[in-house]
Amino acid sequence: MKFELPKLPYDYSALEPYIDAKTMEIHYTKHHQAYVDKLNAAVEKYPGLQGRPIEELLKNLADLKVEEADRLAIRNHGGGHYNHSLFWTYLDPKNQKDELLAKEITSTFGSTEDFKKQFTDSATKLFGSGWTWLVRNGKNSKLEIKNFPMQDSPIMTGDQLIFGLDVWEHAYYLKYQNKRADYIDAWWNVIKIV
Ligand code: MN
């Protein structure tokens, strides 16, 4: 069974004016689709990897019996597929505030505003392409803000993903050009979980 693009649970225009319909359409139908296609190409010659959940491949990346070039392709495109599959669900306008998480954020970071400031700061400073995540540390269960380069995902380091922000230029350039900070500010309006 091949990896497939998950269904987007809302319209491309659902996040306007914060994230524009054209960016959503290209991000989902071109960028995410390309990760899926290239992931499928990378696992094509390994029947043992086909049909295994993407989470499992990413958690066990170092132990997969594959050529190094294919391991890198699975890391990049598999990470891209996994991160984006989750990203669309974080943006769902039907999401509601998670009160329990909000309480934990307040006790960990001081206040929701302090948390947003720290997260924004981390995402603004991330150099090049990557993601900023709120994770639960796999070892001590504490909430943490972490940056990951390229399409690396917290699942690869044993952390639990809570939500993340894609700061690749393809996520905002059409509407915000080089102004990543404006995109991040706008993005907080579509994250209903916190
Ligand atoms: Mn992206």
Side-chain angles (χ1 to χ4, degrees), residues 65-181:
K65 292 186 175 44
V66 295
E67 289 168 28
E68 288 313 308
D70 295 323
R71 192 186 319 280
L72 183 60
I74 294 168
R75 176 177 174 175
N76 289 337
H77 303 297
H81 172 42
Y82 185 64
N83 287 338
H84 286 85
S85 296
L86 292 170
F87 189 56
W88 309 132
T89 69
Y90 303 144
L91 306 180
D92 194 326
K94 296 184 287 297
N95 286 343
Q96 291 188 342
K97 186 170 174 178
D98 182 335
E99 296 293 348
L100 217 61
L101 177 63
K103 263 190 181 172
E104 198 180 349
I105 283 175
T106 301
S107 64
T108 306
F109 299 96
S111 68
T112 308
E113 286 318 304
D114 286 328
F115 162 68
K116 287 185 175 177
K117 231 174 109 191
Q118 283 184 45
F119 190 102
T120 297
D121 194 46
S122 192
T124 308
K125 286 180 178 157
L126 192 157
F127 181 73
S129 297
W131 292 68
T132 299
W133 286 91
L134 174 65
V135 302
R136 186 175 299 287
N137 186 296
K139 293 195 180 80
N140 61 22
S141 293
K142 292 224 166 76
L143 293 183
E144 283 177 20
I145 297 163
K146 279 190 180 179
N147 282 350
F148 286 79
M150 307 305 279
Q151 293 296 349
D152 282 358
S153 181
I155 195 171
M156 298 174 186
T157 53
D159 294 319
Q160 185 195 330
L161 303 83
I162 297 179
F163 65 82
L165 168 61
D166 184 350
V167 292
W168 282 57
E169 284 187 345
H170 69 225
Y172 60 87
Y173 210 85
L174 271 184
K175 184 175 171 77
Y176 297 99
Q177 293 81 49
N178 59 316
K179 299 181 287 283
R180 184 191 285 181

